[in-house]
């Protein structure tokens, strides 16, 4: 276990409260330090457990935060409780708020072209002091594109990558060495919420730790992905029984 972290299926999660995580990330941004942040839920951890190459990518991140009640539950089952959940969407919004306060530069990569443009427009409206220095949809040829060069030239403080897992983490890991600064964070479907195309679960569902169930009801096509949750918990109980 790393300092101030909790290991869940081989992944070291930052054992910090939301505000402490935000403070740490803002410090990195202000000091122009490069950082790779992963917001991992049970689906991501289970995928990493079953795909060693992806697991290495997650383990290489500067910080992995527990995005999902399942991670918190697993840490309690293993008797190494994590302080609190750090939801990826909440973290993204807080970074946008800080971007507005500090006039930070942001690049948005991912989503359909229309979705990407809507998200940019909404950021410009809600956070007028944020500088959107570039954006690009998520449907591009990984071998033939100028995205990395474009981002380097724009020199953003934060790069939100909304390619969905595992692609967003794979893209960051593949390109990170090209940059000398920037906070890189995979945000997945949060771009759809930013664009106003998908509604986040109401506060009641969030407080009851049932946001995952609300998403399943709202997007039934997610049911196959949700099967990762019982498989994840089964692995956790196996570890518990082996101790």
């Amino acid at each position: 276990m790393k300092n101030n972290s909790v290991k869940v299926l081989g992944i070291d999660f930052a054992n910090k409260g939301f505000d402490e995580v935000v403070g740490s990330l803002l410090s990195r941004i202000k000091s122009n330090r490069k950082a790779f942040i992963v917001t991992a839920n049970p689906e991501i951890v289970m995928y990493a457990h079953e795909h060693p190459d992806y697991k290495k990518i997650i383990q290489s991140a500067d910080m992995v935060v527990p995005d999902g009640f399942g991670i918190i539950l697993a840490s309690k089952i293993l008797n190494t409780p994590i302080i609190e959940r750090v939801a990826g969407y909440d973290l993204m919004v807080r970074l946008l708020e800080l971007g507005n306060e500090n006039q930070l530069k942001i690049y948005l990569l991912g989503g359909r072209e229309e979705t990407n443009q809507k998200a940019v427009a909404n950021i410009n409206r809600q956070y007028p002091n944020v500088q959107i220095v570039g954006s690009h949809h998520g449907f591009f040829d990984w071998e033939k594109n100028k995205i990395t060069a474009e981002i380097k030239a724009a020199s953003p403080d934060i790069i939100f990558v909304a390619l969905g897992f595992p692609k967003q983490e794979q893209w960051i890991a593949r390109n990170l060495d090209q940059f000398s600064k920037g906070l890189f964070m995979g945000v997945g479907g949060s771009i759809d919420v930013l664009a106003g195309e998908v509604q986040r679960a109401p506060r009641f569902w969030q407080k009851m730790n049932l946001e995952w169930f609300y998403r399943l009801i709202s997007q039934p096509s997610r049911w196959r992905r949700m099967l990762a949750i019982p498989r994840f918990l089964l692995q956790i109980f196996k570890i518990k029984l082996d101790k």
Side-chain angles (χ1 to χ4, degrees):
M1 185 186 298
K2 297 178 182 178
N3 291 334
N4 208 24
S5 69
V6 170
K7 192 179 291 292
V8 177
L9 282 190
I11 304 299
D12 285 302
F13 282 88
N15 192 14
K16 301 178 179 181
F18 184 86
D19 291 340
E20 189 179 356
V21 168
V22 170
S24 176
L25 298 186
L26 182 60
S27 176
R28 287 173 179 267
I29 292 169
K30 287 187 172 181
S31 59
N32 288 322
R33 284 184 289 160
K34 183 170 59 176
F36 172 21
I37 311 303
V38 175
T39 63
N41 58 20
E43 296 168 71
I44 287 178
V45 174
M46 199 61 211
Y47 189 88
H49 183 68
E50 297 170 345
H51 297 82
D53 289 345
Y54 183 66
K55 186 174 185 177
K56 288 180 182 178
I57 289 175
I58 302 301
Q59 290 174 328
S60 74
D62 294 285
M63 185 185 294
V64 182
V65 299
D67 180 8
F69 176 68
I71 302 297
I72 304 300
L73 178 60
S75 73
K76 291 178 179 178
I77 292 171
L78 296 173
N79 295 320
T80 52
I82 294 174
I83 294 173
E84 68 174 305
R85 178 189 175 203
V86 179
Y89 181 78
D90 292 337
L91 185 56
M92 180 185 68
V93 168
R94 185 64 186 128
L95 288 172
L96 286 171
E97 291 171 348
L98 291 171
N100 195 55
E101 295 170 14
N102 296 276
Q103 296 185 327
L104 299 181
K105 296 188 292 184
I106 291 176
Y107 191 101
L108 183 60
L109 172 63
R112 295 181 298 107
E113 185 167 7
E114 183 181 2
T115 302
N116 188 287
Q117 291 174 355
K118 285 181 180 178
V120 168
N122 286 340
I123 291 172
N124 283 330
R125 184 175 65 255
Q126 296 174 41
Y127 310 99
N129 293 322
V130 165
Q131 302 175 59
I132 300 291
V133 295
S135 64
H136 197 286
H137 61 78
F139 299 88
F140 56 87
D141 186 332
W142 280 39
E143 304 303 327
K144 297 179 180 179
N145 67 81
K146 298 180 179 179
I147 295 172
T148 301
E150 180 182 308
I151 296 174
K152 284 178 66 177
S155 190
D157 299 297
I158 303 172
I159 302 88
F160 290 128
V161 184
L163 302 177
F165 88 86
K167 290 183 178 180
Q168 58 196 21
E169 290 79 28
Q170 290 169 339
W171 185 91
I172 293 171
R174 179 173 178 174
N175 292 279
L176 194 61
D177 287 345
Q178 301 295 315
F179 300 92
S180 60
K181 60 166 284 189
L183 179 71
F184 291 78
M185 174 176 156
V187 297
S190 292
I191 191 174
D192 299 316
V193 182
L194 267 183
E197 295 182 349
V198 173
Q199 293 296 315
R200 194 181 179 195
R203 200 66 184 170
F204 169 79
W205 293 79
Q206 295 178 44
K207 287 183 177 180
M208 295 296 291
N209 295 312
L210 290 172
E211 194 168 2
W212 63 272
F213 188 58
Y214 179 87
R215 289 200 303 270
L216 179 59
I217 294 172
S218 304
Q219 299 172 282
S221 60
R222 294 176 60 93
W223 73 269
R224 288 184 184 276
R225 289 179 55 182
M226 291 298 180
L227 292 177
I229 297 176
R231 298 204 323 275
F232 167 76
L233 290 174
L234 180 60
Q235 289 297 324
I236 296 300
F237 280 113
K238 282 182 179 179
I239 294 172
K240 175 71 173 178
L241 291 173
D242 288 341
K243 283 188 174 182

